[in-house]
Amino acid sequence: KNEVEQSPQNLTAQEGEFITINCSYSVGISALHWLQQHPGGGIVSLFMLSSGKKKHGRLIATINIQEKHSSLHITASHPRDSAVYICAVPETSGSRLTFGEGTQLTVNP
Amino acid sequence: KAGVTQTPRYLIKTRGQQVTLSCSPISGHRSVSWYQQTPGQGLQFLFEYFSETQRNKGNFPGRFSGRQFSNSRSEMNVSTLELGDSALYLCASSSLGGGQDTQYFGPGTRLTVL
């Protein structure tokens, strides 16, 4: 079973700051997912990546397969970025996802 | 394209009852996965259906079951409800399924068991 650890658990930032959220996993994977969950429960898939780096707007996700580590960066953070960010990795069977505990991000104006 | 829909959005039941939740995936998606989210355990995988077949199952008791219809709509059923079943139940659909493809989540059904 893949163990997924995220850090930090909670993060408070001022608007405009650069944010980094980390995710480590124990077993080699084919892809890693970053998800965003707003209050109220809705989950949005931000990235699925298997190597290198992906960028979407102010969000950047990187993964190092050898180190079994991924980071999610938010540049020029904004209060609307306040949410829980969750990383998830598939089990070796490829079908089921194992989730990290999530990082609660609060961006103050 | 319409997103993933789940019904009902909120549900209150009492212990011992059973409940059926419904999930309609994005048109063309053949995979539907179900997840349970609680404050204590976080997000946990329940099961995945692909083209009407259960492809994988999480570590939940047999009281939790599901099925998928030929139009890819899926239902999950929880029998003999327990207080600990109170949770947000999310479904997600994708083209290829599971961890190998971007998943599109529904808004969830919040179940409260009294």
Side-chain angles (χ1 to χ4, degrees):
Chain A
K1 184 179 176 349
N2 217 332
E3 302 294 331
V4 182
E5 289 189 5
Q6 279 186 243
S7 62
Q9 284 190 321
N10 294 283
L11 183 55
T12 300
Q14 290 299 121
E15 184 173 356
E17 286 185 0
F18 182 84
I19 304 292
T20 295
I21 299 170
N22 297 299
C23 176
S24 297
Y25 50 92
S26 57
V27 178
I29 57 171
S30 55
L32 181 142
H33 300 253
W34 280 104
L35 311 171
Q36 179 193 57
Q37 185 171 31
H38 278 283
I43 293 179
V44 174
S45 179
L46 297 174
F47 296 102
M48 186 186 71
L49 67 166
S50 54
S51 65
K53 179 165 80 171
K54 284 192 176 181
K55 185 175 189 290
H56 181 71
R58 295 179 295 104
L59 301 178
I60 303 166
T62 64
I63 189 168
N64 184 320
I65 296 294
Q66 287 73 31
E67 297 287 325
K68 298 187 179 64
H69 180 270
S70 177
S71 293
L72 177 69
H73 306 285
I74 304 175
T75 62
S77 60
H78 190 276
R80 65 175 173 267
D81 297 326
S82 298
V84 176
Y85 293 85
I86 303 167
C87 71
V89 300
E91 295 291 334
T92 51
S93 67
S95 183
R96 51 192 284 181
L97 289 177
T98 298
F99 299 87
E101 291 185 357
T103 295
Q104 173 70 63
L105 172 65
T106 303
V107 182
N108 295 317
Chain B
K1 239 182 196 179
V4 179
T5 58
Q6 290 186 246
T7 57
R9 294 290 311 278
Y10 301 91
L11 206 46
I12 299 175
K13 292 285 188 178
T14 56
R15 278 183 300 174
Q17 287 186 310
Q18 75 164 17
V19 66
T20 299
L21 312 181
S22 179
C23 173
S24 292
I26 289 173
S27 178
H29 285 184
R30 292 193 291 168
S31 167
V32 174
S33 297
W34 287 90
Y35 303 95
Q36 181 196 64
Q37 186 177 37
T38 59
Q41 299 295 320
L43 269 165
Q44 293 184 284
F45 173 84
L46 278 159
F47 27 66
E48 184 203 7
Y49 286 87
F50 187 90
S51 293
E52 301 181 66
T53 300
Q54 188 181 83
R55 194 152 71 171
N56 210 330
K57 190 176 188 307
N59 299 324
F60 280 82
R63 300 185 297 107
F64 291 81
S65 63
R67 59 178 174 169
Q68 187 179 35
F69 302 95
S70 59
N71 62 357
S72 291
R73 189 177 72 85
S74 178
E75 289 181 347
M76 67 163 279
N77 183 277
V78 188
S79 62
T80 319
L81 284 166
E82 300 177 359
L83 294 179
D85 297 333
S86 294
L88 179 66
Y89 290 88
L90 293 149
C91 76
S93 77
S94 63
S95 298
L96 302 176
Q100 311 306 322
D101 194 13
T102 297
Q103 298 209 14
Y104 296 85
F105 286 81
T109 295
R110 189 165 296 279
L111 171 66
T112 302
V113 182
L114 302 176

